[in-house]
Amino acid sequence: MSNTPIPFLDLVTPHVELQAELTAVFQKAITTGGFIGGPMVTGFEEAFAKYCDAKHCVGVGSGTDALRFAFMAGGIGAGDIIVTVPHTFIATTEAISQCGARPVFVDIEEKTCTMDVAKLQAFLETKCEYQAESRQLIHTATGERVAGIVPVHIYGQMADMDPIMELAERFNLMVVEDACQAHGATYFSKRDNRWRTAGSMGHAGAFSFYPGKNLGACGEAGATVTNDDKLAAGMKMIRDHGQKQKYYHSIEGYNGRLDAIQAGILGVKLEKMPEWTKQRQDAAARYETLLADSGARLPQVAEGRTAVWHLYVVRVADRDGLMKALGAVGIGTGIHYPIPLHLQEAYKGMGYQEGDFPVTERVAREIVSLPMFPQLRAEQQERVAVEVKKFVLAGAAPAAAAAN
Ligand SMILES: *Cc1c(COP(=O)(O)O)cnc(C)c1O
Protein backbone atom coordinates (compact mmCIF):
# COMPACT_ATOMS: atom_id res chain seq x y z
CA MET A 1 0.00 0.00 0.00
CA SER A 2 2.66 2.51 1.02
CA ASN A 3 4.45 2.18 -2.29
CA THR A 4 1.39 2.31 -4.55
CA PRO A 5 2.31 4.89 -7.19
CA ILE A 6 0.87 8.39 -6.74
CA PRO A 7 0.06 9.85 -10.15
CA PHE A 8 0.73 13.47 -11.01
CA LEU A 9 -2.85 13.66 -12.32
CA ASP A 10 -5.78 11.19 -12.27
CA LEU A 11 -7.94 11.48 -15.38
CA VAL A 12 -9.74 8.16 -14.81
CA THR A 13 -11.52 8.43 -11.44
CA PRO A 14 -13.67 11.52 -12.17
CA HIS A 15 -14.82 10.07 -15.50
CA VAL A 16 -15.64 6.67 -14.05
CA GLU A 17 -17.63 8.40 -11.29
CA LEU A 18 -19.65 10.33 -13.90
CA GLN A 19 -19.80 7.51 -16.46
CA ALA A 20 -23.60 7.23 -16.62
CA GLU A 21 -24.13 10.97 -17.16
CA LEU A 22 -21.28 11.26 -19.66
CA THR A 23 -22.53 8.29 -21.67
CA ALA A 24 -26.03 9.81 -21.70
CA VAL A 25 -24.56 12.88 -23.47
CA PHE A 26 -23.17 10.67 -26.21
CA GLN A 27 -26.46 8.78 -26.51
CA LYS A 28 -28.36 12.04 -26.83
CA ALA A 29 -26.05 13.16 -29.64
CA ILE A 30 -26.33 9.93 -31.62
CA THR A 31 -30.06 9.61 -31.22
CA THR A 32 -30.75 13.26 -32.21
CA GLY A 33 -27.93 13.72 -34.73
CA GLY A 34 -26.98 16.94 -32.98
CA PHE A 35 -23.20 16.94 -33.33
CA ILE A 36 -22.42 20.57 -34.22
CA GLY A 37 -24.12 23.48 -32.48
CA GLY A 38 -27.57 23.01 -30.97
CA PRO A 39 -28.87 23.05 -27.40
CA MET A 40 -25.94 21.24 -25.79
CA VAL A 41 -23.56 23.96 -27.03
CA THR A 42 -25.79 26.94 -26.18
CA GLY A 43 -26.71 25.34 -22.85
CA PHE A 44 -23.06 24.98 -21.85
CA GLU A 45 -22.18 28.45 -23.10
CA GLU A 46 -24.90 29.97 -20.92
CA ALA A 47 -23.85 27.96 -17.88
CA PHE A 48 -20.14 28.74 -18.31
CA ALA A 49 -20.74 32.47 -18.83
CA LYS A 50 -22.67 32.45 -15.56
CA TYR A 51 -19.91 30.51 -13.81
CA CYS A 52 -17.41 33.17 -14.94
CA ASP A 53 -19.74 36.05 -14.08
CA ALA A 54 -19.53 37.18 -17.72
CA LYS A 55 -22.25 38.18 -20.19
CA HIS A 56 -21.24 35.92 -23.10
CA CYS A 57 -19.41 32.66 -23.66
CA VAL A 58 -18.32 31.56 -27.14
CA GLY A 59 -17.40 27.86 -27.30
CA VAL A 60 -14.47 27.04 -29.60
CA GLY A 61 -12.19 24.14 -30.46
CA SER A 62 -9.32 24.80 -28.00
CA GLY A 63 -7.78 27.34 -25.63
CA THR A 64 -5.44 28.39 -28.42
CA ASP A 65 -8.41 29.25 -30.66
CA ALA A 66 -10.09 31.00 -27.72
CA LEU A 67 -7.13 33.39 -27.47
CA ARG A 68 -6.62 33.81 -31.22
CA PHE A 69 -10.30 34.49 -32.02
CA ALA A 70 -10.46 37.09 -29.22
CA PHE A 71 -7.50 39.01 -30.70
CA MET A 72 -8.97 38.81 -34.20
CA ALA A 73 -12.42 39.93 -33.07
CA GLY A 74 -10.68 42.84 -31.31
CA GLY A 75 -9.14 43.93 -34.60
CA ILE A 76 -5.58 42.88 -33.76
CA GLY A 77 -3.45 41.54 -36.61
CA ALA A 78 -0.39 42.11 -38.78
CA GLY A 79 1.82 45.00 -37.65
CA ASP A 80 0.59 44.84 -34.04
CA ILE A 81 2.37 43.90 -30.83
CA ILE A 82 0.79 42.00 -27.96
CA VAL A 83 2.63 42.07 -24.62
CA THR A 84 2.71 38.90 -22.52
CA VAL A 85 5.05 36.90 -20.25
CA PRO A 86 7.68 34.29 -21.18
CA HIS A 87 6.62 32.04 -18.26
CA THR A 88 3.65 30.31 -19.93
CA PHE A 89 2.70 27.51 -22.28
CA ILE A 90 3.58 28.24 -25.90
CA ALA A 91 -0.11 28.36 -26.92
CA THR A 92 -0.24 31.91 -25.51
CA THR A 93 2.30 33.16 -28.05
CA GLU A 94 1.18 30.81 -30.85
CA ALA A 95 -2.22 32.48 -30.71
CA ILE A 96 -0.57 35.92 -30.89
CA SER A 97 1.59 34.98 -33.90
CA GLN A 98 -1.27 33.17 -35.64
CA CYS A 99 -3.49 36.24 -35.61
CA GLY A 100 -0.62 38.04 -37.39
CA ALA A 101 0.68 39.99 -34.40
CA ARG A 102 4.07 39.79 -32.68
CA PRO A 103 4.56 38.76 -29.03
CA VAL A 104 6.77 40.94 -26.83
CA PHE A 105 7.64 39.77 -23.33
CA VAL A 106 7.85 41.36 -19.91
CA ASP A 107 9.08 39.41 -16.88
CA ILE A 108 6.97 37.88 -14.10
CA GLU A 109 7.03 38.76 -10.39
CA GLU A 110 8.65 36.31 -8.03
CA LYS A 111 5.78 35.90 -5.57
CA THR A 112 2.96 34.77 -7.85
CA CYS A 113 4.82 33.96 -11.09
CA THR A 114 2.34 36.23 -12.95
CA MET A 115 3.03 39.36 -15.00
CA ASP A 116 5.14 41.98 -13.20
CA VAL A 117 3.05 45.12 -13.52
CA ALA A 118 6.03 47.41 -12.90
CA LYS A 119 7.84 45.79 -15.84
CA LEU A 120 4.76 46.11 -18.02
CA GLN A 121 4.43 49.78 -17.11
CA ALA A 122 8.14 50.40 -17.78
CA PHE A 123 7.81 48.83 -21.24
CA LEU A 124 4.70 50.84 -22.14
CA GLU A 125 6.10 54.11 -20.82
CA THR A 126 9.74 53.96 -21.90
CA LYS A 127 9.76 51.82 -25.07
CA CYS A 128 6.58 53.21 -26.61
CA GLU A 129 5.01 56.57 -27.41
CA TYR A 130 1.33 57.34 -27.07
CA GLN A 131 -0.20 59.31 -29.92
CA ALA A 132 -3.14 61.10 -28.41
CA GLU A 133 -4.86 62.03 -31.71
CA SER A 134 -5.02 58.47 -33.03
CA ARG A 135 -5.22 56.95 -29.51
CA GLN A 136 -2.48 54.54 -30.53
CA LEU A 137 0.56 53.37 -28.59
CA ILE A 138 3.52 53.03 -30.94
CA HIS A 139 6.58 50.89 -30.22
CA THR A 140 9.40 53.39 -30.70
CA ALA A 141 12.05 51.02 -32.09
CA THR A 142 9.86 49.38 -34.76
CA GLY A 143 6.91 51.71 -35.36
CA GLU A 144 4.49 48.86 -34.68
CA ARG A 145 1.23 49.48 -32.82
CA VAL A 146 1.07 47.99 -29.33
CA ALA A 147 -2.47 46.63 -29.39
CA GLY A 148 -2.95 44.26 -26.48
CA ILE A 149 -1.85 42.70 -23.22
CA VAL A 150 -2.22 39.02 -22.27
CA PRO A 151 -1.85 38.44 -18.53
CA VAL A 152 -1.51 34.70 -17.85
CA HIS A 153 -3.23 33.38 -14.71
CA ILE A 154 -0.60 30.71 -14.28
CA TYR A 155 -1.15 27.68 -12.01
CA GLY A 156 -4.68 28.92 -11.16
CA GLN A 157 -3.92 32.35 -9.65
CA MET A 158 -4.99 35.54 -11.38
CA ALA A 159 -2.48 38.20 -12.37
CA ASP A 160 -2.74 41.65 -10.75
CA MET A 161 -5.62 42.77 -12.94
CA ASP A 162 -6.49 46.21 -11.48
CA PRO A 163 -3.27 47.99 -12.51
CA ILE A 164 -3.18 46.05 -15.79
CA MET A 165 -6.66 47.34 -16.68
CA GLU A 166 -5.64 50.85 -15.63
CA LEU A 167 -2.65 50.78 -17.99
CA ALA A 168 -4.81 49.31 -20.74
CA GLU A 169 -7.32 52.14 -20.40
CA ARG A 170 -4.58 54.76 -20.36
CA PHE A 171 -2.99 53.44 -23.56
CA ASN A 172 -6.11 52.11 -25.31
CA LEU A 173 -5.05 48.44 -25.29
CA MET A 174 -7.13 45.28 -25.46
CA VAL A 175 -6.69 42.89 -22.52
CA VAL A 176 -7.28 39.19 -23.13
CA GLU A 177 -6.86 37.13 -19.99
CA ASP A 178 -5.21 33.77 -20.54
CA ALA A 179 -7.40 31.98 -18.00
CA CYS A 180 -6.64 28.51 -19.41
CA GLN A 181 -5.40 27.40 -15.96
CA ALA A 182 -7.75 29.45 -13.83
CA HIS A 183 -11.41 28.35 -14.15
CA GLY A 184 -13.23 30.01 -11.26
CA ALA A 185 -10.24 31.85 -9.74
CA THR A 186 -11.11 35.21 -8.18
CA TYR A 187 -9.55 38.62 -7.55
CA PHE A 188 -10.75 41.41 -5.32
CA SER A 189 -10.86 44.49 -7.54
CA LYS A 190 -10.33 47.66 -5.52
CA ARG A 191 -11.45 49.67 -8.54
CA ASP A 192 -14.78 47.85 -8.68
CA ASN A 193 -14.91 47.23 -4.92
CA ARG A 194 -15.97 43.60 -5.45
CA TRP A 195 -14.64 40.14 -6.15
CA ARG A 196 -14.22 39.42 -9.86
CA THR A 197 -13.91 36.04 -11.57
CA ALA A 198 -11.13 35.02 -13.96
CA GLY A 199 -11.94 35.84 -17.55
CA SER A 200 -14.50 38.54 -16.75
CA MET A 201 -12.19 41.47 -15.99
CA GLY A 202 -10.39 41.89 -19.31
CA HIS A 203 -12.11 42.65 -22.60
CA ALA A 204 -12.12 38.89 -23.07
CA GLY A 205 -10.92 35.82 -21.18
CA ALA A 206 -9.74 32.60 -22.84
CA PHE A 207 -10.25 29.14 -21.36
CA SER A 208 -8.94 25.73 -22.35
CA PHE A 209 -10.89 22.55 -21.67
CA TYR A 210 -7.98 20.26 -22.52
CA PRO A 211 -8.57 17.08 -20.45
CA GLY A 212 -5.96 17.91 -17.80
CA LYS A 213 -7.30 21.39 -17.06
CA ASN A 214 -9.47 22.08 -13.99
CA LEU A 215 -12.52 21.78 -16.25
CA GLY A 216 -11.61 19.33 -19.00
CA ALA A 217 -13.45 17.85 -21.97
CA CYS A 218 -13.07 14.26 -23.17
CA GLY A 219 -11.02 15.64 -26.06
CA GLU A 220 -10.17 19.16 -27.28
CA ALA A 221 -12.28 22.21 -26.42
CA GLY A 222 -12.07 25.84 -25.32
CA ALA A 223 -14.12 29.00 -24.85
CA THR A 224 -13.82 32.77 -24.64
CA VAL A 225 -15.94 34.78 -22.25
CA THR A 226 -16.62 38.49 -22.61
CA ASN A 227 -18.97 41.25 -21.45
CA ASP A 228 -18.69 42.94 -24.86
CA ASP A 229 -21.57 42.22 -27.30
CA LYS A 230 -19.52 43.15 -30.36
CA LEU A 231 -16.57 40.95 -29.43
CA ALA A 232 -18.91 38.02 -28.78
CA ALA A 233 -20.64 38.47 -32.14
CA GLY A 234 -17.26 38.74 -33.88
CA MET A 235 -15.91 35.57 -32.29
CA LYS A 236 -19.07 33.65 -33.19
CA MET A 237 -18.51 34.58 -36.82
CA ILE A 238 -14.79 33.81 -36.80
CA ARG A 239 -15.28 30.33 -35.29
CA ASP A 240 -17.87 29.49 -37.97
CA HIS A 241 -16.33 30.35 -41.36
CA GLY A 242 -17.16 34.04 -41.06
CA GLN A 243 -20.88 33.41 -41.45
CA LYS A 244 -23.85 34.59 -39.43
CA GLN A 245 -26.27 32.88 -41.75
CA LYS A 246 -25.31 29.62 -43.48
CA TYR A 247 -23.36 30.24 -46.73
CA TYR A 248 -23.46 34.06 -46.37
CA HIS A 249 -19.84 34.84 -45.47
CA SER A 250 -19.13 38.40 -44.32
CA ILE A 251 -15.47 37.60 -43.67
CA GLU A 252 -13.17 34.64 -44.06
CA GLY A 253 -13.20 32.73 -40.78
CA TYR A 254 -12.15 29.37 -39.40
CA ASN A 255 -13.53 25.99 -38.53
CA GLY A 256 -13.18 26.53 -34.79
CA ARG A 257 -16.45 25.47 -33.20
CA LEU A 258 -17.03 23.59 -29.96
CA ASP A 259 -18.40 20.04 -30.55
CA ALA A 260 -21.85 19.33 -29.16
CA ILE A 261 -20.67 16.13 -27.45
CA GLN A 262 -17.80 17.98 -25.74
CA ALA A 263 -20.17 20.79 -24.73
CA GLY A 264 -22.57 18.23 -23.20
CA ILE A 265 -19.72 16.57 -21.31
CA LEU A 266 -18.46 19.96 -20.09
CA GLY A 267 -21.97 20.81 -18.89
CA VAL A 268 -22.04 17.67 -16.75
CA LYS A 269 -18.57 18.34 -15.34
CA LEU A 270 -19.22 22.06 -14.75
CA GLU A 271 -21.72 21.09 -12.04
CA LYS A 272 -18.88 19.40 -10.16
CA MET A 273 -16.56 22.41 -10.34
CA PRO A 274 -17.44 24.00 -6.97
CA GLU A 275 -16.74 20.69 -5.23
CA TRP A 276 -13.60 19.90 -7.26
CA THR A 277 -12.20 23.40 -6.73
CA LYS A 278 -12.80 23.13 -2.98
CA GLN A 279 -10.98 19.78 -2.97
CA ARG A 280 -8.01 21.34 -4.79
CA GLN A 281 -7.97 24.24 -2.29
CA ASP A 282 -8.09 21.80 0.64
CA ALA A 283 -5.26 19.80 -0.88
CA ALA A 284 -3.17 22.96 -1.34
CA ALA A 285 -3.79 23.96 2.29
CA ARG A 286 -2.75 20.48 3.41
CA TYR A 287 0.47 20.62 1.37
CA GLU A 288 1.20 24.00 2.92
CA THR A 289 1.03 22.51 6.42
CA LEU A 290 2.82 19.30 5.55
CA LEU A 291 5.64 21.05 3.68
CA ALA A 292 6.01 24.07 5.99
CA ASP A 293 9.42 22.99 7.29
CA SER A 294 10.51 21.07 4.21
CA GLY A 295 13.07 23.56 2.94
CA ALA A 296 11.18 23.82 -0.37
CA ARG A 297 9.84 27.22 -1.37
CA LEU A 298 6.04 26.92 -1.40
CA PRO A 299 3.64 28.69 -3.76
CA GLN A 300 2.18 31.95 -2.50
CA VAL A 301 -1.18 33.54 -3.17
CA ALA A 302 -1.32 37.33 -3.11
CA GLU A 303 -3.77 39.07 -0.80
CA GLY A 304 -7.18 39.59 -2.36
CA ARG A 305 -6.95 36.57 -4.65
CA THR A 306 -8.21 32.99 -4.43
CA ALA A 307 -6.32 30.41 -6.42
CA VAL A 308 -7.93 27.33 -7.94
CA TRP A 309 -4.68 25.33 -7.87
CA HIS A 310 -4.48 23.97 -11.38
CA LEU A 311 -0.93 23.08 -10.33
CA TYR A 312 0.89 22.98 -7.00
CA VAL A 313 4.39 24.19 -7.81
CA VAL A 314 7.25 24.24 -5.30
CA ARG A 315 10.78 25.53 -5.84
CA VAL A 316 14.00 23.79 -4.82
CA ALA A 317 17.66 24.29 -5.75
CA ASP A 318 18.11 20.74 -7.11
CA ARG A 319 14.91 20.36 -9.08
CA ASP A 320 16.08 17.48 -11.26
CA GLY A 321 17.34 15.61 -8.19
CA LEU A 322 14.00 16.00 -6.42
CA MET A 323 12.05 14.77 -9.44
CA LYS A 324 14.32 11.75 -9.70
CA ALA A 325 13.98 10.95 -6.01
CA LEU A 326 10.17 11.22 -6.14
CA GLY A 327 10.04 9.21 -9.35
CA ALA A 328 12.09 6.45 -7.71
CA VAL A 329 9.34 5.94 -5.10
CA GLY A 330 6.49 6.14 -7.61
CA ILE A 331 5.45 9.78 -7.18
CA GLY A 332 4.59 11.60 -10.42
CA THR A 333 5.75 15.18 -10.97
CA GLY A 334 5.98 17.70 -13.82
CA ILE A 335 7.74 20.94 -14.82
CA HIS A 336 5.57 23.86 -15.96
CA TYR A 337 7.61 24.97 -17.82
CA PRO A 338 11.29 23.98 -18.17
CA ILE A 339 12.34 26.37 -20.97
CA PRO A 340 11.10 29.98 -20.89
CA LEU A 341 9.49 30.94 -24.20
CA HIS A 342 12.16 33.54 -25.08
CA LEU A 343 14.78 30.76 -24.99
CA GLN A 344 12.82 28.23 -27.06
CA GLU A 345 14.29 27.15 -30.37
CA ALA A 346 11.07 28.19 -32.11
CA TYR A 347 11.68 31.78 -30.98
CA LYS A 348 15.38 32.06 -31.80
CA GLY A 349 14.51 34.74 -34.33
CA MET A 350 12.88 37.00 -31.74
CA GLY A 351 16.22 38.42 -30.68
CA TYR A 352 16.00 37.65 -26.96
CA GLN A 353 18.85 36.09 -25.03
CA GLU A 354 19.58 34.44 -21.71
CA GLY A 355 19.46 37.02 -18.93
CA ASP A 356 16.68 39.09 -20.49
CA PHE A 357 14.04 37.82 -18.03
CA PRO A 358 15.92 36.81 -14.88
CA VAL A 359 12.89 35.98 -12.70
CA THR A 360 11.36 33.69 -15.33
CA GLU A 361 14.73 32.02 -15.91
CA ARG A 362 15.36 31.43 -12.19
CA VAL A 363 11.84 30.10 -11.65
CA ALA A 364 12.14 27.76 -14.64
CA ARG A 365 15.29 26.20 -13.15
CA GLU A 366 13.75 25.55 -9.72
CA ILE A 367 10.10 24.56 -10.21
CA VAL A 368 8.53 21.14 -9.68
CA SER A 369 4.79 20.49 -9.89
CA LEU A 370 3.65 17.99 -7.25
CA PRO A 371 0.60 15.69 -7.63
CA MET A 372 -2.55 17.85 -7.64
CA PHE A 373 -6.09 16.80 -8.55
CA PRO A 374 -9.43 16.86 -6.67
CA GLN A 375 -9.34 13.19 -5.69
CA LEU A 376 -5.82 13.36 -4.22
CA ARG A 377 -6.03 11.85 -0.73
CA ALA A 378 -4.54 13.17 2.50
CA GLU A 379 -2.41 10.06 3.01
CA GLN A 380 -1.01 10.38 -0.50
CA GLN A 381 -0.03 13.97 0.25
CA GLU A 382 1.58 12.87 3.51
CA ARG A 383 3.74 10.43 1.56
CA VAL A 384 4.68 13.10 -0.97
CA ALA A 385 5.66 15.42 1.89
CA VAL A 386 7.79 12.76 3.61
CA GLU A 387 9.71 12.14 0.38
CA VAL A 388 10.14 15.85 -0.42
CA LYS A 389 11.52 16.49 3.08
CA LYS A 390 13.81 13.48 2.92
CA PHE A 391 15.35 14.84 -0.25
CA VAL A 392 15.43 18.58 0.36
CA LEU A 393 16.56 18.42 3.99
CA ALA A 394 19.33 16.03 2.98
CA GLY A 395 20.69 19.10 1.19
CA ALA A 396 23.73 18.33 -0.89
CA ALA A 397 23.26 14.55 -0.55
CA PRO A 398 23.19 12.84 -3.94
CA ALA A 399 19.71 12.15 -5.28
CA ALA A 400 20.18 8.37 -5.23
CA ALA A 401 21.02 8.33 -1.52
CA ALA A 402 18.15 10.65 -0.64
CA ALA A 403 15.66 8.48 -2.49
CA ASN A 404 15.96 5.56 -0.08
C1 LIG B 1 -3.55 24.82 -21.86
C2 LIG B 1 -3.14 26.22 -22.05
C3 LIG B 1 -3.38 26.91 -23.25
C4 LIG B 1 -3.91 26.27 -24.51
O1 LIG B 1 -5.00 25.50 -24.43
P1 LIG B 1 -5.31 24.37 -25.56
O2 LIG B 1 -6.71 24.01 -25.24
O3 LIG B 1 -4.35 23.26 -25.32
O4 LIG B 1 -5.16 25.00 -26.88
C5 LIG B 1 -3.04 28.25 -23.31
N1 LIG B 1 -2.46 28.88 -22.28
C6 LIG B 1 -2.19 28.25 -21.12
C7 LIG B 1 -1.55 29.01 -20.00
C8 LIG B 1 -2.50 26.89 -20.96
O5 LIG B 1 -2.21 26.27 -19.82
Side-chain angles (χ1 to χ4, degrees), residues 22-311:
L22 297 176
T23 318
V25 168
F26 182 67
Q27 271 158 356
K28 191 163 167 189
I30 59 170
T31 52
T32 61
F35 299 113
I36 305 290
M40 288 209 283
V41 173
T42 50
F44 171 71
E45 286 175 334
E46 267 167 43
F48 193 68
K50 197 163 162 228
Y51 181 79
C52 297
D53 200 16
K55 191 168 171 196
H56 304 278
C57 166
V58 180
V60 297
S62 67
T64 313
D65 274 359
L67 288 161
R68 181 169 58 133
F69 295 169
F71 305 145
M72 297 177 80
I76 300 178
D80 293 335
I81 283 173
I82 297 179
V83 186
T84 190
V85 289
H87 185 63
T88 178
F89 180 54
I90 194 169
T92 312
T93 46
E94 282 174 333
I96 293 171
S97 305
Q98 288 166 9
C99 83
R102 183 168 77 86
V104 165
F105 296 123
V106 294
D107 211 348
I108 55 169
E109 48 156 45
E110 193 103 38
K111 181 173 175 173
T112 62
C113 294
T114 59
M115 183 177 273
D116 184 332
V117 175
K119 301 266 171 57
L120 171 69
Q121 182 167 356
F123 173 79
L124 301 176
E125 286 180 350
T126 66
K127 305 282 185 207
C128 309
E129 281 160 52
Y130 190 62
Q131 302 188 338
E133 333 72 77
S134 61
R135 298 194 67 225
Q136 289 194 350
L137 185 68
I138 303 298
H139 185 231
T140 313
T142 62
E144 293 160 294
R145 175 178 76 136
V146 180
I149 306 169
V150 180
V152 180
H153 305 329
I154 200 90
Y155 308 149
Q157 174 171 197
M158 287 175 71
D160 195 2
M161 288 300 292
D162 270 351
I164 292 172
M165 293 312 295
E166 257 164 44
L167 286 166
E169 281 163 25
R170 197 171 128 203
F171 293 117
N172 190 27
L173 308 174
M174 180 186 196
V175 175
V176 178
E177 299 172 57
D178 184 335
C180 289
Q181 301 191 2
H183 316 68
T186 60
Y187 174 99
F188 187 81
S189 168
K190 292 197 174 122
R191 303 173 80 206
D192 305 338
N193 196 31
R194 67 181 177 102
W195 286 90
R196 304 288 310 251
T197 307
S200 70
M201 282 189 82
H203 300 95
F207 290 87
S208 167
F209 305 123
Y210 184 77
K213 300 292 160 91
N214 287 27
L215 175 60
C218 295
E220 302 277 4
T224 307
V225 300
T226 181
N227 295 315
D228 184 317
D229 299 347
K230 264 175 70 183
L231 275 181
M235 290 186 288
K236 280 182 185 170
M237 299 245 293
I238 292 166
R239 74 170 169 185
D240 191 22
H241 301 291
Q243 63 190 2
K244 238 186 304 204
Q245 187 187 344
K246 208 168 170 79
Y247 306 133
Y248 289 78
H249 308 276
S250 322
I251 53 167
E252 200 177 75
Y254 291 84
N255 178 347
R257 294 166 300 231
L258 171 63
D259 278 3
I261 290 174
Q262 297 304 343
I265 284 167
L266 288 164
V268 169
K269 293 176 79 177
L270 181 60
E271 289 181 27
K272 301 288 286 186
M273 281 297 279
E275 181 188 337
W276 285 342
T277 300
K278 174 77 168 56
Q279 287 172 315
R280 284 177 187 272
Q281 288 165 339
D282 290 347
R286 201 174 298 116
Y287 267 142
E288 191 171 352
T289 309
L290 290 168
L291 293 169
D293 54 353
S294 68
R297 182 177 172 142
L298 305 186
Q300 291 178 59
V301 179
E303 211 187 292
R305 295 182 223 181
T306 58
V308 293
W309 301 101
H310 173 57
L311 296 166

